[in-house]
Amino acid sequence: MDTRNAARIGRDLSVIGLGTWQLGADWGDVSEADARSVLDASVEAGVSVFDTADVYGDGRSEQIIGGYLADNPDLDIFVATKMGRREEQDPANFTLEKFREWTDRSRTNLRVDTLDLVQLHCPPTPVFSTDAVYDALDTLVAEGAIARYGVSVETVDEALAAMERPGLASVQIIVNAFRLKPLERVLPAAAEAGIAVITRVPLASGLLSGKYTADTTFAANDHRTFNRHGEAFDVGETFSGVDFERGVAAAQEFSALAASVDLSPSVAALAWLAQLDGVTTVIPGARNVEQARTNASAGSVAPLPESFGVAVADIYDRYFREAVHGRW
């Protein structure tokens, strides 16, 4: 597994991490035993980053990770969690008092005194420009509750606003072959500042696996059913905000592109992301051991040819640019 280090993180991270939303909720049912098997398979394949959030299963994802790491104390795993979406999305709620409450709960769930990284979890846009928010986060670092802080964002503009803050260690943002806007400004700015970029939704909620057809359906408790049009949260989190049927058609072209370099679609999509300048780690989710191992294998793929990226941009321009580029 290849690794990268961003100056403000201060340690090597595997270029492929593990997103653990699936282990908490909103992707159908995953048992704790299956969740632990996914964690085991990921670690065995070289993954050293687990990304979670206090809202995934209302803490279930954090608790599973906390129990797993307590049972495996010799593992050197960097755990990035997120806070801020368990309450009403009112900028007035983003205070030091609330931050202490939220991080104390995550520390209990994860069974640690100091959280490796806490990210504001896609808060209301004004939060990213509020001085008191960053003062509060700096206080938590000084108190030892958290080692670093970052932000998870919906838009490029939110990322750029947060990156102006000297204490910011990371930005988590949606980047994949169907969502290219962050390549223009966010990745170069982060690389220059030494800020880690954590790329989420790297497979466009599974579209880039190449396994879906226009007739594919998902469980009722899967966000790919109940948030298809943004009914529950930002539609950009589900299929990257692209139209499902159009996404399936584009994915067929991407699958052919992946085959041209002798890779499966999912491995090609993840490897291409992991090899972009400015990306620190990519956090695909996995619901089973096979997915976890396949995803992790992308972290050791040989450099893809420049023509691969040109073809990705061409697919994006023809299928998605008009609909999504100005939105996020």
Side-chain angles (χ1 to χ4, degrees):
M1 173 76 72
D2 293 335
T3 61
R4 285 196 180 165
N5 187 348
R8 297 194 193 179
I9 290 291
R11 58 163 287 171
D12 290 337
L13 302 178
S14 58
V15 294
I16 303 295
L18 176 68
T20 63
W21 186 8
Q22 282 90 335
L23 309 188
D26 297 333
W27 292 79
D29 296 325
V30 177
S31 70
E32 181 167 348
D34 287 346
R36 280 187 168 237
S37 294
V38 166
L39 298 178
D40 265 332
S42 298
V43 170
E44 289 169 2
V47 167
S48 66
V49 181
F50 293 166
D51 180 86
T52 185
D54 60 3
V55 77
Y56 294 166
D58 197 26
R60 181 176 187 259
S61 176
E62 287 183 330
Q63 291 163 7
I64 289 172
I65 291 170
Y68 175 80
L69 294 179
D71 291 342
N72 296 276
D74 294 334
L75 293 179
D76 183 21
I77 301 296
F78 183 89
V79 180
T81 192
K82 298 183 283 293
M83 67 177 182
R85 298 201 66 85
R86 297 184 67 250
E87 298 194 25
E88 182 180 355
Q89 293 301 284
D90 180 348
N93 283 333
F94 290 77
T95 64
L96 177 58
E97 180 181 11
K98 287 291 186 182
F99 289 175
R100 285 188 175 129
E101 175 187 332
W102 298 339
T103 55
D104 283 351
R105 184 174 184 271
S106 289
R107 290 194 295 162
T108 298
N109 286 342
L110 288 164
R111 307 189 193 188
V112 297
D113 294 326
T114 303
L115 299 167
D116 291 334
L117 175 68
V118 171
Q119 304 155 96
L120 298 180
H121 196 174
C122 300
T125 299
V127 170
F128 293 105
S129 301
T130 302
D131 291 343
V133 166
Y134 297 96
D135 291 342
L137 292 168
D138 286 333
T139 297
L140 290 181
V141 173
E143 292 175 348
I146 66 177
R148 310 161 186 83
Y149 61 83
V151 292
S152 183
V153 305
E154 297 290 2
T155 71
V156 163
D157 288 343
E158 289 172 345
L160 295 172
M163 288 165 60
E164 295 178 359
R165 306 292 173 153
L168 192 83
S170 66
V171 169
Q172 183 173 145
I173 190 168
I174 296 174
V175 190
N176 59 55
F178 296 168
R179 182 83 83 82
L180 299 185
K181 188 174 181 179
L183 275 63
E184 296 174 353
R185 297 174 63 195
V186 174
L187 268 57
E192 183 176 355
I195 295 171
V197 173
I198 302 170
T199 60
R200 73 175 188 278
V201 198
L203 297 176
S205 303
L207 275 175
L208 284 160
S209 70
K211 296 178 180 179
Y212 301 160
T213 71
D215 297 324
T216 300
T217 60
F218 305 92
N221 61 346
D222 189 313
H223 75 103
R224 291 169 293 185
T225 295
F226 69 76
N227 195 57
R228 183 69 65 90
H229 305 291
E231 296 91 335
F233 41 80
D234 193 297
V235 71
E237 301 286 344
T238 301
F239 301 124
S240 300
V242 306
D243 175 76
F244 179 69
E245 288 76 15
R246 196 165 181 81
V248 168
Q252 292 174 344
E253 287 198 30
F254 185 86
S255 294
L257 175 62
S260 74
V261 290
D262 297 321
L263 295 173
S264 70
S266 59
V267 171
L270 296 174
W272 171 76
L273 266 181
Q275 293 175 18
L276 290 175
D277 289 338
V279 168
T280 307
T281 189
V282 183
I283 52 168
R287 297 186 63 219
N288 56 57
V289 167
E290 180 184 2
Q291 288 178 354
R293 289 173 176 159
T294 298
N295 292 344
S297 72
S300 55
V301 169
L304 294 168
E306 184 178 347
S307 59
F308 189 93
V310 172
V312 167
D314 177 62
I315 293 172
Y316 176 76
D317 288 343
R318 288 187 287 111
Y319 281 93
F320 306 119
R321 177 179 288 274
E322 184 177 356
V324 306
H325 202 79
R327 187 167 184 180
W328 290 283

